[in-house]
Amino acid sequence: MLATQQANLDARPLCHMPLDLLRVVYIVSQAFRVLLPANMKGLVSICCLVSLLSLATPEEEELLDSILRDRSHIEETLRLAALDTSGDYAAALQRLRKIYHNSIRPMEQAYKYNELRQHEISAYPGRTLGDSATDGEITSKPMVLFLGPWSVGKSSMINYLLGLRDTPYQLYTGAEPTTSEFTVIMHGEKIRSVEGIVMAADSSRSFSPLEKFGQNFLEKLIGIEMPHKLLERVTFVDTPGIIENRKQQERGYPFNDVCQWFIDRADLIFVVFDPTKLDVGLELEMLFRQLKGRESQIRIILNKADSLATQDLMRVYGALFWSLAPLINVTEPPRVYVSSFWPYDYAADTSRELFKREEISLLEDLNQVIENRLENKIAFIRQHGIRVRIHGLLVDRYVQTFKEKMSFFSDPELVFKEIVDDPDKFYIFKSILAKTNVSKFDLPNRDAYRDFFGINPVSSFKQLSAQCSYIGGCLLDKIERAITADLPGLLSSINSGKNPTLSSCEATGCGEKPKNRYRRGN
């Protein structure tokens, strides 16, 4: 109590300081992160922040500019001024869409793959998908997801990368928990905000599946569109900070499930810490459990590193690894970037060159994801096609076994219940491994098919041998050709620098007369 009263007495004269001195105190404290008591910081902000921003003299603006960090390396590393190759990129995406719609999606629909795997390309079960809804995820830009405890600098980092300081749409930052929404920062023709319910209802975007998390979550989802070179190539997602002393139920929506949805779709995941928040609680432990299998996309960031002396920074770096070691069970340690990601210059007497090199290294990592966005998209579609093919083969095997075991006096429900309860007895999965080039590690969970056939009667499916037509060919042949020839060929043409153009069959549809591209008006 005495200490608090003394602090109040010490802070009280701040409001009576000359305005010029208050401005200098604010600028210096922001630039060099002077650790003032909480009540002092509040009084300084209330007394002089408005006057500082509105009445700053040219000399003070020059002083403020002098402590801002040079951002030219961001544009150079991310190649924001590079030649626009959107035409080649759009042509490759068009060919990728054609391959998906012609070769993969027919089997996906025939055997209702989306009801087995809800988190793949398409939306959640029960929703009728149009071309635009599926294309929304195929054509979406790479997603960079920011996770971590509250007030570690996630929003400040996005502001810094996009140069949003002193703009109307800079993300709000503060020492207290400030971000309570999932904020999607994406490219648009003009600066505007988009409500979550609008984002979920727009089929041209890839966020339609988020409706399944309820209206309470959609109220906590917001999009920000702005014209920016970087956002033409990537989308940023800022998340609410993890607060260990708050139960998940108090958020009003399934926080971990929503995080999992974004994790499954993220191309790069930044998990941000600062020197004051290294403890691992239940919610952070749950988050790292959700990141299992995505270790190659995780980047650990130790932010605000210039707030510590070099010796203290080494101790904090070791403490961070000590805290994370039980959560990341991989042979290769994760990449940790140590720097300070905000617009102001590094504090004096700190490892400035180290922080600059670490920042450039992180930007190169981000640029690598952007440069490889098309290759990653093709690889994802091919992986999806492999899973759809395996699903079709398994359903075909279930149908075949069911027909073989049925007799005139058999009860269909009892026969199929025996098959689905013990598929190993009828060699359902082993026969797939024996007759096809399927890896046992790619096989789905056996229990998933009990639920799948509980919703979809086995009698509603045809065998693969019956899924053929004179014009369109067989479903199995088309998806195998896409996996083994079409998608690898598209990937090779991109890597070799060729301009991927549509074949006549993909452009006009198989069985139709190809158009003469060199004849006017055709």
Side-chain angles (χ1 to χ4, degrees):
M1 178 68 73
L2 292 175
T4 304
Q5 292 176 351
Q6 183 63 39
N8 289 333
L9 291 174
D10 294 339
R12 194 175 302 163
L14 284 172
C15 289
H16 302 288
M17 284 183 181
L19 183 59
D20 293 338
L21 182 57
L22 277 173
R23 290 171 179 165
V24 172
V25 169
Y26 181 80
I27 292 175
V28 172
S29 64
Q30 290 296 306
F32 300 103
R33 297 189 178 180
V34 175
L35 299 178
L36 299 174
N39 58 326
M40 257 188 171
K41 285 194 270 190
L43 286 170
V44 169
S45 300
I46 293 172
C47 295
C48 69
L49 179 57
V50 175
S51 60
L52 172 65
L53 297 177
S54 60
L55 301 175
T57 64
E59 292 79 6
E60 289 164 350
E61 291 180 356
E62 184 177 350
L63 173 61
L64 187 59
D65 291 337
S66 67
I67 63 177
L68 291 177
R69 195 183 307 174
D70 180 25
R71 299 185 69 257
S72 60
H73 64 285
I74 296 180
E75 294 189 3
E76 293 174 1
T77 307
L78 297 179
R79 302 176 185 176
L80 298 183
L83 293 176
D84 186 14
T85 58
S86 58
D88 295 341
Y89 181 74
L93 279 184
Q94 184 181 1
R95 184 174 174 185
L96 181 60
R97 283 197 299 268
K98 289 290 184 180
I99 294 173
Y100 171 75
H101 285 295
N102 291 340
S103 304
I104 299 176
R105 196 174 183 215
M107 181 175 283
E108 183 181 322
Q109 292 180 318
Y111 292 100
K112 300 183 179 179
Y113 175 79
N114 294 324
E115 298 191 15
L116 182 75
R117 296 293 296 270
Q118 302 178 21
H119 64 276
E120 292 295 341
I121 293 178
S122 307
Y124 55 90
R127 181 181 178 123
T128 302
L129 291 171
D131 292 349
S132 59
T134 305
D135 290 348
E137 292 211 23
I138 295 178
T139 60
S140 62
K141 299 179 179 66
M143 180 186 295
V144 178
L145 181 64
F146 290 79
L147 300 170
W150 58 274
S151 193
V152 293
K154 300 187 296 295
S155 302
S156 297
M157 187 173 176
I158 295 175
N159 287 336
Y160 172 59
L161 292 175
L162 296 176
L164 298 181
R165 189 185 69 87
D166 293 339
T167 63
Y169 279 85
Q170 67 174 342
L171 302 181
Y172 178 66
T173 61
E176 74 284 358
T178 54
T179 303
S180 60
E181 299 94 4
F182 282 80
T183 306
V184 181
I185 303 97
M186 49 196 166
H187 182 263
E189 296 300 325
K190 59 181 181 180
I191 298 179
R192 69 183 187 115
S193 60
V194 184
E195 296 295 330
I197 55 176
V198 177
M199 294 174 61
D202 189 351
S203 60
S204 64
R205 305 179 190 271
S206 58
F207 301 103
S208 297
L210 290 172
E211 283 183 326
K212 66 182 178 180
F213 297 118
Q215 296 301 310
N216 286 340
F217 166 70
L218 294 182
E219 293 177 359
K220 294 293 184 179
L221 175 66
I222 187 170
I224 298 177
E225 290 184 346
M226 63 182 68
H228 195 284
K229 276 288 187 181
L230 181 55
L231 294 179
E232 290 179 4
R233 307 178 184 184
V234 71
T235 296
F236 290 133
V237 178
D238 191 17
T239 61
I242 294 172
I243 303 177
E244 298 295 353
N245 61 355
R246 178 183 298 172
K247 295 181 180 179
Q248 178 186 346
Q249 289 79 5
E250 295 179 5
R251 296 183 187 268
Y253 60 90
F255 176 75
N256 291 120
D257 293 341
V258 174
C259 286
Q260 188 67 62
W261 189 92
F262 282 103
I263 288 170
D264 288 340
R265 286 156 178 80
D267 296 84
L268 197 59
I269 302 171
F270 290 147
V271 185
V272 187
F273 296 88
D274 75 2
T276 65
K277 299 180 182 66
L278 303 179
D279 295 336
V280 176
L282 293 177
E283 197 165 75
L284 189 60
E285 185 178 349
M286 174 65 71
L287 178 64
F288 272 91
R289 200 174 299 152
Q290 293 176 282
L291 292 171
K292 293 292 185 183
R294 307 299 298 272
E295 286 81 6
S296 62
Q297 287 144 323
I298 299 174
R299 303 294 183 271
I300 307 296
I301 297 176
L302 180 56
N303 199 15
K304 306 180 185 178
D306 64 338
S307 63
L308 296 175
T310 303
Q311 186 175 6
D312 293 332
L313 180 59
M314 293 176 62
R315 292 171 179 168
V316 167
Y317 187 84
L320 177 62
F321 265 98
W322 178 267
S323 299
L324 297 182
L327 305 179
I328 306 178
N329 296 322
V330 291
T331 55
E332 183 180 353
R335 180 69 168 91
V336 179
Y337 297 94
V338 182
S339 189
S340 179
F341 296 92
W342 74 329
Y344 299 100
D345 200 4
Y346 301 111
D349 299 327
T350 57
S351 305
R352 303 168 63 90
E353 291 301 321
L354 171 64
F355 298 153
K356 181 68 173 292
R357 289 196 300 269
E358 288 282 282
E359 181 178 325
I360 292 177
S361 180
L362 181 139
L363 293 173
E364 290 173 346
D365 216 350
L366 175 59
N367 185 66
Q368 191 70 23
V369 170
I370 296 174
E371 294 292 332
N372 295 337
R373 64 192 185 278
L374 190 53
E375 290 90 333
N376 294 337
K377 192 77 68 176
I378 295 171
F380 170 72
I381 297 298
R382 185 175 183 274
Q383 182 185 47
H384 176 73
I386 291 173
R387 291 172 177 170
V388 172
R389 172 177 171 267
I390 293 173
H391 173 67
L393 290 170
L394 285 171
V395 174
D396 174 72
R397 182 61 183 167
Y398 273 104
V399 174
Q400 180 183 348
T401 305
F402 174 70
K403 290 184 176 180
E404 290 175 353
K405 298 301 177 184
M406 276 295 296
S407 65
F408 184 77
F409 299 101
S410 300
D411 185 339
E413 292 186 5
L414 292 179
V415 170
F416 190 71
K417 185 178 185 303
E418 183 183 3
I419 296 173
V420 79
D421 286 345
D422 190 6
D424 291 337
K425 178 180 177 182
F426 300 93
Y427 300 98
I428 299 291
F429 287 81
K430 291 181 180 179
S431 64
I432 299 299
L433 295 176
K435 295 181 180 180
T436 61
N437 57 341
V438 174
S439 170
K440 65 179 182 179
F441 302 105
D442 291 331
L443 292 177
N445 189 352
R446 290 164 169 76
D447 295 335
Y449 282 91
R450 185 184 295 109
D451 298 332
F452 175 79
F453 286 114
I455 301 173
N456 305 285
V458 67
S459 58
S460 64
F461 297 104
K462 297 179 181 179
Q463 288 188 250
L464 281 172
S465 58
Q467 298 280 11
C468 297
S469 65
Y470 179 75
I471 296 178
C474 298
L475 296 186
L476 184 59
D477 293 340
K478 290 197 294 185
I479 196 169
E480 287 185 344
R481 184 173 63 249
I483 293 170
T484 58
D486 295 344
L487 291 173
L490 177 59
L491 190 59
S492 298
S493 67
I494 293 170
N495 292 334
S496 61
K498 297 179 181 178
N499 185 12
T501 57
L502 292 175
S503 66
S504 59
C505 182
E506 291 168 339
T508 64
C510 294
E512 298 180 14
K513 181 180 178 181
K515 295 181 180 180
N516 185 351
R517 294 193 181 92
Y518 303 101
R519 180 180 175 184
R520 292 180 180 273
N522 190 22

